[in-house]
Each structure stands twice: as C-alpha cells, then as structure tokens.
Amino acid sequence: MDNLLTDAFAGYDFSVSENQQMVGQMAKDFAEKHIKPHVMEWDEVQYFPVELFKKLGELGMMGVFVPEQYGGSGFGYFEYVTVIQEIAKVCGSIGLSVAAHNSLCTGHILAFGSEEQKRKWLPKLATAEWLGAWGLTEANTGSDAMGMATTAVLDGDHYIVNGSKNWITHGKSSAVAVVMVRTGEKGDSKGISTLVVERGTPGFNAGKKENKLGMRASETTEMIFDNCRVPKENLLGKEGEGFKQAMEVLDGGRISIAALSLGIAKGAFQAAVAYAKERHQFGQPIANFQGIAFKLADMATEIEAAELLLLQAADLKNKHLPVTKQSAMAKYFASEVAVRTATEAVQIFGGYGYTKDFPVEKYYRDAKLCTIGEGTSEIQKIVISREVLRS
C-alpha cells in the first residue's frame, strides 16, 4: 500500500502540452460562441442540435483519437478529456454527446473493427458526417448486461436481430449504431457479439425519447429491432467477443464520464466563486464569510483530486496499460464530486440558485446522470473492490 501513489504516477508528466492548450482553447472558444447562447433554450425544449456536431466535426472534436488516416485528429486521451471538460463547463448535454460519440461508438469500431470496417465507418464518424450510437443497456438489463434479451440469429449472409435497447444516446439521430446482441445462451459472457447497424436498415427503428431531469439537449431514446437483417460482415471481431469488447470500451467510457463530471464541477465552481465575490450581505461580499469560504475550499480540493485521478487514468490509457481500476476510481470520484459541487453551488447562490435565471440549477440537474451512466457509483465500487482484492 505504501507504493500506491508512487506506482500510480510513476513516469507521469504533469505539464500541459501544446496540443492540450490548443484543443482546450479551441473547445472553450467554440463553447462560448456556439453553445452558451443557446444552453437554456435547448434545455427547456430538449432540442438536440445535430447541426452543432457537424461544426464540432469540422474542428476535429468528433474524432479526437481517430488516426488521421481515417479522417480523425490523431490525438490521445489528454487532449480528449480536455475537450470534454471545456465543453461540459458550458453545457453537460453537449459534453455528454461528444463523449458518447467519441469513446463508445467510434472508439469501439476503432478498437475492434477490421481494416475494411474502419475505412468504411470511421471517416464519416470522425467528421460527424454521421453521428454514432452504442447499444448495450436494455429495459431489464442495466448493469446485468449478460442477461440481455436482444438476439441475433445467423441466417445465410445476415444476422436477424430482434429486441430493443434503452437509454441510448443518439438512438434516433445516429446514422450508425454499435449494438451488443445475444448470439448464445443468456448469462454466458461468451454468448454476446457486436454488430454495426446502419440507419435505414429495414427493421431498425427509434422508439421512445426519454423526458429527462438533466442532460436534456442530449438525445436519449430506445432503439428497436424487428426482424432486422444485418449483413454478417458487420460483425465486429468474432462471434462471442461482444461482452469482452464492451467491458474494454466501458473502461474508456468511464474516463469520458470522469472528464464530463469534472467539467460540470468546474463550471459550477467557477459560477459559485464569481457569485460569492459579487453578492453582498451585511455590507461585504459573502465570500468573506467562513461558511461560504470553507465550502469553496472543499469544492476546490475535491476538484483537484478528481482531476488527478482522471489524468492518471488517461495516462494509462495512452500507454495501453490496464486501466479498469483507475478508470472506475476516476469515474466514481469525479461524478460524486460533480454532484456535491453543484449542490453547494446552488446553496451559495441561495434562492437565485433555485431559478433558471442563473446557471447552477442546470449544473445541479446535469451532474446527477454522471453517477448513473456508464455504471452507477455502486457498480464502480464493485469494480474497484474486485481489482483491489485481486492484487
């Protein structure tokens, strides 16, 4: 245990690279210009701004770690988490959609697709000509993915897919979806495979759009498969490898949610600091009162700690080292920090924090999803404890 910190940060460079500075500034400028003016408008009506992602694609932010040969930016995870944070500081919904597109759908094809499959789908995904979706969760199988009911039966040159997926980001607007299906026995981890399904395939339709508490400008819908015929060449990897693939993709996805959480926390914190300096009571700024100052101190400390966990996980991912424990720790801690920070930000704003005229109520609503999506906080603790006890 004495060597935990030494081992965790061995060889890690804490300096910010020129690429990180560049993409961070680009994402920040984009968010201020193209997202901030519309945040509450989109949130109120649950508008999913598809055209916005085309602009992000033009800047390379929808294919951050896709190699240049496939039309991407060819960056690593440090640049990626920087982009997600800067966008999430302004709007968690847009940050969530950028994360889901990059790390789940696009990331899955990049990691497990054949050369032919990569050349077919990645260029359109990396530029956001096509939006991507990723389907694992079902109505009755959230964390229990091996119990999925969606099936794929091989019939000649096609798989016949039947079932549905729930809580899918871009489940309606995506042009392509990476979908985990059952090709073997229920409960068998080797009975799950992965198919890429293109929009327009007969039998592939969008279902109910969820009316959510937060992240309202990020589309969340059902995907329904009714005798959907998917060409067998759309199988990613081999039959039976889907569950293992999904777990590896989720390791990266949890880094995404940690970055999203951190961005939301930083946005709420910055708003709280500015308000505490401006708001006067009893003849002085409320920041002068210890009750407020100590809240800000706790928020700042937890944000710094969450960022260290995130950077550690990103560093391991860049080095292609095992990251299951660190990504789960980063996601678990950062998501809970986002909720605590947003809660305290509302408290600092007082009555104004409870209104939609000020930004912190939206951070408060958006933050909660981070403790649920990509595995709940409870699931993260299961993952972390298993890894700890294995050592």
Side-chain angles (χ1 to χ4, degrees), residues 27-64:
K28 181 178 180 180
D29 292 344
F30 184 93
E32 287 293 322
K33 181 178 180 180
H34 297 287
I35 300 174
K36 191 173 183 178
H38 309 288
V39 167
M40 293 312 298
E41 169 195 346
W42 293 342
D43 182 79
E44 285 290 314
V45 299
Q46 296 201 87
Y47 176 70
F48 180 56
V50 175
E51 67 285 351
L52 179 80
F53 298 100
K54 308 294 184 185
K55 294 177 182 177
L56 282 164
E58 292 171 4
L59 295 174
M61 286 186 275
M62 298 297 279
V64 179

Side-chain angles (χ1 to χ4, degrees), residues 219-299:
E219 178 185 273
T220 307
T221 70
E222 288 179 301
M223 293 193 302
I224 299 172
F225 304 92
D226 182 10
N227 290 318
C228 179
R229 295 182 64 85
V230 181
K232 68 178 183 181
E233 59 262 29
N234 287 22
L235 178 72
L236 289 181
K238 298 178 181 178
E239 207 173 269
E241 294 180 343
F243 184 78
K244 182 180 179 181
Q245 291 177 6
M247 294 304 102
E248 185 173 324
V249 169
L250 283 174
D251 279 345
R254 286 164 180 161
I255 295 174
S256 298
I257 300 301
L260 179 69
S261 303
L262 191 58
I264 292 170
K266 286 182 176 180
F269 175 70
Q270 290 169 3
V273 169
Y275 185 80
K277 291 178 178 179
E278 295 167 2
R279 173 69 167 172
H280 282 66
Q281 292 286 274
F282 306 104
Q284 58 184 311
I286 62 171
N288 289 355
F289 297 110
Q290 193 178 79
I292 300 299
F294 278 15
K295 286 182 185 295
L296 295 172
D298 286 338
M299 293 156 76

Side-chain angles (χ1 to χ4, degrees), residues 39-307:
V39 167
M40 293 312 298
E41 169 195 346
W42 293 342
D43 182 79
E44 285 290 314
V45 299
Q46 296 201 87
Y47 176 70
F48 180 56
V50 175
E51 67 285 351
L52 179 80
F53 298 100
K54 308 294 184 185
K55 294 177 182 177
L56 282 164
E58 292 171 4
L59 295 174
M61 286 186 275
M62 298 297 279
V64 179
F65 40 70
V66 174
E68 293 180 24
Q69 69 191 83
Y70 304 118
S73 298
F75 289 136
Y77 263 77
F78 290 141
E79 291 83 3
Y80 173 61
V81 299
T82 300
V83 166
I84 299 301
Q85 283 184 70
E86 289 298 335
I87 293 174
K89 284 180 188 177
V90 175
C91 181
S93 295
I94 306 304
L96 173 62
S97 281
V98 173
H101 176 91
N102 272 285
S103 71
L104 298 181
C105 178
T106 306
H108 198 139
I109 294 171
L110 178 62
F112 299 104
S114 66
E115 183 62 26
E116 183 180 354
Q117 290 170 331
K118 291 177 184 178
R119 292 191 181 280
K120 180 178 181 180
W121 291 306
L122 289 180
K124 292 182 178 180
L125 288 166
T127 58
E129 178 184 344
W130 284 7
L131 279 177
W134 193 77
L136 176 65
T137 303
E138 299 180 3
N140 295 313
T141 57
S143 301
D144 182 19
M146 286 190 294
M148 69 174 58
T150 299
T151 58
V153 178
L154 190 59
D155 178 29
D157 293 334
H158 290 77
Y159 283 96
I160 310 300
V161 182
N162 283 285
S164 63
K165 297 293 179 177
N166 292 64
W167 309 106
I168 307 303
T169 305
H170 316 149
K172 178 180 180 181
S173 296
S174 58
V176 63
V178 173
V179 185
M180 273 52 70
V181 294
R182 186 160 56 80
T183 51
E185 294 299 316
K186 184 177 287 190
D188 180 6
S189 64
K190 294 183 180 179
I192 295 172
S193 303
T194 308
L195 294 173
V196 178
V197 188
E198 293 186 14
R199 189 69 57 182
T201 303
F204 176 31
N205 298 291
K208 174 189 175 186
K209 179 178 179 178
E210 302 297 340
N211 185 10
K212 300 174 296 183
L213 169 71
M215 303 291 195
R216 290 169 60 82
S218 179
E219 178 185 273
T220 307
T221 70
E222 288 179 301
M223 293 193 302
I224 299 172
F225 304 92
D226 182 10
N227 290 318
C228 179
R229 295 182 64 85
V230 181
K232 68 178 183 181
E233 59 262 29
N234 287 22
L235 178 72
L236 289 181
K238 298 178 181 178
E239 207 173 269
E241 294 180 343
F243 184 78
K244 182 180 179 181
Q245 291 177 6
M247 294 304 102
E248 185 173 324
V249 169
L250 283 174
D251 279 345
R254 286 164 180 161
I255 295 174
S256 298
I257 300 301
L260 179 69
S261 303
L262 191 58
I264 292 170
K266 286 182 176 180
F269 175 70
Q270 290 169 3
V273 169
Y275 185 80
K277 291 178 178 179
E278 295 167 2
R279 173 69 167 172
H280 282 66
Q281 292 286 274
F282 306 104
Q284 58 184 311
I286 62 171
N288 289 355
F289 297 110
Q290 193 178 79
I292 300 299
F294 278 15
K295 286 182 185 295
L296 295 172
D298 286 338
M299 293 156 76
T301 302
E302 290 200 327
I303 287 171
E304 293 269 352
E307 187 153 27

Side-chain angles (χ1 to χ4, degrees), residues 39-40 43-44 213-216 268 271 342-343 345-347 349-368:
V39 167
M40 293 312 298
D43 182 79
E44 285 290 314
L213 169 71
M215 303 291 195
R216 290 169 60 82
T343 300
V346 171
Q347 195 72 16
F349 271 75
Y352 292 111
Y354 204 66
T355 71
K356 293 182 181 292
D357 295 326
F358 290 82
V360 290
E361 67 85 29
K362 183 176 183 297
Y363 291 122
Y364 181 79
R365 288 185 290 110
D366 286 349
K368 189 57 196 171

